[in-house]
Amino acid sequence: MTQPLLELCDIQKTYALRRGLIERFTRKVADVAAVDGVSLAIPPGEIFGLVGESGCGKSTLAQIMVGLLAPSDGMVRYRGQDIAMLTGVHRRIYRRGVQMVFQDTHSSLNPRKRIRRTLMEALVARGLTRAEAADALPPLLAQVGLDTVLLQRLPHELSGGQRQRVGIARALAIGPDVLVADEPVSSLDVSLQGQIVNLLRDLNRELGLTIILISHDLAVVSRICHRIGVMSAGRIVEEGPPAEVLFAPRHPYTRTLIAAVPRGLESRRAQSVAIAEVCIAGPM
Ligand SMILES: Nc1ncnc2c1ncn2[C@@H]1O[C@H](COP(=O)(O)OP(=O)(O)OP(=O)(O)O)[C@@H](O)[C@H]1O
Ligand SMILES: [Mg+2]
């Protein structure tokens, strides 16, 4: 078996939460387990879908994967190495290698910076000279399906779909091999959601990019993911290929999630599975 690119070993994340007045007075704190023992191995080239209800710990796990948040317990391995032990150039290789795409493009893109500047900064951070970065802009935009005229614009002058493409381009500019996309389509119209999800699938196929796609929508992840993990209350309660999870859910929570897929459950579920099967069968 190939070595996992990214591995989570029994990850825990607890937040200390002050409770009522008495506890506050006595300085007693209660711990909230946002992530409660998650283990996962993501092989290179996989699109892994993480799905679950609001508050189940998806974003906490995403931030732990990209190194924005340290776990309370457990280990994250990148290319077989414990990221907590990485220093110097090795740490920079990891921080570059695992990039995040955020849900809210309004707050994740600097409203005062033109798109050119945002992308140039990312390319320069990767180690390119300004001249090399300028040359890299057109192919970078083409990769995410954007026209170069948008480079002169400010984020608010773009549509939601265009802003999310810029968010993806900024992540790609750093030169990652893993993209952690936390609810990348949930702020978009349904018509645009499919386009962004398809873009992620194309990047996976063309660049061999490994993708963790996080969503609360089972239909979204089952479209392109090779494997799905269903999360509930800080744990992964089910894991498998989308067709298996959708048609033969083992955990009661997964059944609830399937039942929550809106608009014509049966047809949409069947459609998701059909698309997922085509994706899995197709060349990687
Ligand atoms: N900084 C924090 N301090 C205290 N509790 C937190 C903090 N961040 C998250 N939590 C709690 O941890 C749990 C998991 O939150 P998280 O944001 O990871 O969930 P999520 O699955 O991403 O939810 P959503 O679908 O709404 O984005 C929640 O109960 C949340 O209230
Ligand atoms: Mg979240």
Side-chain angles (χ1 to χ4, degrees):
M1 196 187 140
T2 46
Q3 186 188 51
L5 193 50
L6 194 67
E7 210 176 346
L8 305 179
C9 312
D10 201 17
I11 294 291
Q12 316 248 355
K13 181 68 188 178
T14 49
Y15 290 108
L17 203 67
R18 286 179 193 279
R19 286 201 292 198
L21 201 60
I22 296 169
E23 288 90 343
R24 202 177 300 171
F25 187 67
T26 57
R27 291 177 173 271
K28 260 192 200 165
V29 291
D31 282 347
V32 172
V35 177
D36 191 11
V38 168
S39 297
L40 265 183
I42 313 288
E46 180 172 75
I47 310 183
F48 185 85
L50 196 59
V51 67
E53 75 213 323
S54 179
C56 72
K58 304 181 296 294
S59 295
T60 304
L61 206 56
Q63 289 175 56
I64 290 171
M65 286 181 193
V66 301
L68 287 174
L69 206 61
S72 312
D73 208 351
M75 195 200 301
V76 179
R77 285 207 197 102
Y78 173 65
R79 297 184 176 275
Q81 290 186 304
D82 178 357
I83 63 160
M85 298 299 177
L86 298 176
T87 53
V89 69
H90 298 290
R91 177 141 192 96
R92 284 200 293 281
I93 289 172
Y94 154 68
R95 288 304 295 264
R96 241 179 250 172
V98 186
Q99 287 296 314
M100 182 110 155
V101 172
F102 298 89
Q103 167 183 354
D104 183 1
T105 50
H106 272 297
S107 59
S108 63
L109 293 176
N110 187 325
R112 284 189 290 270
K113 283 186 189 168
R114 297 194 186 277
I115 304 306
R116 170 187 292 277
R117 192 163 149 210
T118 293
L119 297 180
M120 282 291 282
E121 283 175 0
L123 289 162
V124 169
R126 177 191 191 160
L128 270 58
T129 64
R130 291 199 67 80
E132 286 168 344
D135 287 345
L137 280 175
L140 178 64
L141 285 171
Q143 221 159 38
V144 298
L146 288 178
D147 196 285
T148 49
V149 304
L150 300 183
L151 286 172
Q152 302 313 325
R153 306 239 174 108
L154 289 165
H156 79 265
E157 294 171 319
L158 304 184
S159 69
Q162 287 171 333
R163 270 200 305 276
Q164 193 50 284
R165 285 174 195 269
V166 171
I168 294 169
R170 180 180 56 181
L172 292 179
I174 312 278
D177 45 22
V178 182
L179 218 56
V180 179
D182 188 5
E183 304 268 10
V185 300
S186 53
S187 64
L188 301 176
D189 291 346
V190 174
S191 60
L192 287 172
Q193 289 188 353
Q195 291 179 22
I196 298 292
V197 168
N198 287 347
L199 170 63
L200 292 175
R201 183 197 56 199
D202 293 346
L203 291 172
N204 165 263
R205 287 187 177 167
E206 287 159 21
L207 308 177
L209 205 63
T210 304
I211 299 175
I212 321 285
L213 176 60
I214 297 174
S215 177
H216 56 269
D217 188 342
L218 198 53
V220 166
V221 293
S222 56
R223 268 177 76 128
I224 64 160
C225 292
H226 304 117
R227 209 153 51 101
I228 294 180
V230 177
M231 223 176 148
S232 175
R235 292 167 180 266
I236 293 203
V237 295
E238 187 138 30
E239 201 183 313
E244 219 172 82
V245 170
L246 286 165
F247 277 133
R250 274 167 295 192
H251 196 274
Y253 172 67
T254 315
R255 284 177 217 134
T256 320
L257 209 61
I258 291 170
V261 172
R263 289 197 294 119
L265 165 66
E266 288 310 322
S267 63
R268 189 133 174 228
R269 196 197 316 172
Q271 188 191 3
S272 298
V273 172
I275 295 167
E277 278 172 347
V278 170
C279 293
I280 293 159
M284 283 273 297

